[in-house]
Amino acid sequence: YPRSPLHSFNDNGEWLQMDKVGHFASSYHLGKIGFETFQYCGFNYNTSLFLGGSAGLIFLSGIEILDGTSAQWGFSWGDQIANSSGTILFMLQEKFWKEQRITMKFSFTNSSYAMFNSDQLGRNFQQRIIKDYNAQTYWASFNIHKFLASGATFPRWLNIAIGYGATKMTSANFVVDDVNNFQREREFYFSFDADLERVRWKKKWMQRTAKVLSFIKIPGPTLEIREGGNLKL
């Protein structure tokens, strides 16, 4: 889109805030990667935490500035707050616990709504996994073992996860004459999860693979609560 002077706009009501949760999770994981990369390269702990851990915030702030100079978009303070919050979640846990007891995770289940607005929601799997908010779920995965007293027998790898998603969205905002007038809904989830980094793998390549895949929510029995109060297992 054509460039314009730096300006802001309010998109806090769009996509039932799914984009904000996406910013939060992205900033968290980029901070985790930044911290571990700085540690691997030999930087001291504080530099790794405060500079490496800010990688997500720095990177995503750059994107916000580019959006702020686009005639089509604008700098979103809601996005920036989400970016900052994801970074803070990582830093606080690393600072006080020296580990991540609460991990942000992601899952994707293909939806049928992208076909109604493929320009915005994607035309194929590769696009939809990034753009179709109907198909995405973001999770906060809690490692219960680390919150219990030492010596507790609860499995060290078994997590409890709380998820957020939304459905029936064919555009950023609800429009009365939108396609089929879908009544968009929020979705809340409660499920089991596995912390792959806490499993005792026998091989190093297994450990590394588990680390790379640790941002994915492991499928498991899930209780879904729709905004209207409907329950589904």
Side-chain angles (χ1 to χ4, degrees):
Y1 295 102
R3 311 314 299 174
S4 70
L6 182 64
H7 63 285
S8 64
F9 80 141
N10 186 349
D11 64 342
N12 293 337
E14 295 182 357
W15 301 114
L16 294 181
Q17 295 78 50
M18 279 295 292
D19 58 324
K20 302 296 179 283
V21 184
H23 276 265
F24 182 95
S26 299
S27 180
Y28 170 86
H29 277 290
L30 287 170
K32 185 172 184 285
I33 292 169
F35 170 78
E36 292 173 352
T37 301
F38 270 60
Q39 289 270 277
Y40 178 80
C41 292
F43 288 88
N44 64 44
Y45 179 82
N46 285 333
T47 300
S48 299
L49 177 60
F50 292 106
L51 188 56
S54 297
L57 179 59
I58 293 168
F59 175 72
L60 292 169
S61 295
I63 293 177
E64 285 306 317
I65 292 171
L66 288 174
D67 281 351
T69 57
S70 167
Q72 175 69 16
W73 309 113
F75 185 97
S76 168
W77 285 105
D79 286 355
Q80 192 65 359
I81 290 171
N83 297 337
S84 302
S85 299
T87 296
I88 290 170
L89 176 64
F90 170 77
M91 283 188 172
L92 287 180
Q93 292 188 85
E94 187 58 43
K95 180 67 175 176
F96 292 104
W97 292 333
K98 300 296 188 293
E99 62 184 355
Q100 298 297 301
R101 299 182 183 182
I102 306 169
T103 307
M104 295 304 300
K105 294 200 174 187
F106 173 83
S107 63
F108 177 90
T109 304
N110 197 36
S111 81
S112 59
Y113 298 102
M115 61 183 289
F116 296 106
N117 186 359
S118 55
D119 285 341
Q120 282 190 293
L121 300 178
R123 300 183 181 277
N124 52 44
F125 175 81
Q126 292 88 339
Q127 293 179 1
R128 290 175 180 176
I129 200 169
I130 297 173
K131 300 173 71 173
D132 186 3
Y133 292 122
N134 300 284
Q136 301 173 5
T137 304
Y138 292 95
W139 302 83
S141 186
F142 296 79
N143 186 261
I144 304 302
H145 177 82
K146 286 297 182 178
F147 287 100
L148 301 177
S150 60
T153 57
F154 196 88
R156 65 194 300 269
W157 55 268
L158 183 59
N159 284 18
I160 299 297
I162 299 172
Y164 176 68
T167 189
K168 301 180 183 178
M169 300 182 294
T170 54
S171 59
N173 294 292
F174 176 75
V175 181
V176 174
D177 61 352
D178 203 354
V179 180
N180 293 323
N181 289 330
F182 291 123
Q183 299 298 312
R184 52 186 62 201
E185 291 181 297
R186 302 177 194 274
E187 299 168 320
F188 303 92
Y189 301 95
F190 183 82
S191 181
F192 296 104
D193 185 33
D195 189 336
L196 297 180
E197 295 189 65
R198 297 186 194 273
V199 176
R200 293 188 175 94
W201 302 103
K202 295 182 178 179
K203 304 289 186 181
K204 266 210 167 158
W205 69 266
M206 292 179 178
Q207 296 174 9
R208 291 168 179 166
T209 301
K211 193 173 190 65
V212 170
L213 298 179
S214 62
F215 74 96
I216 297 175
K217 160 70 171 66
I218 300 299
T222 303
L223 178 66
E224 175 191 280
I225 306 172
R226 288 282 177 95
E227 190 171 10
N230 295 326
L231 300 178
K232 185 171 75 171
L233 185 63

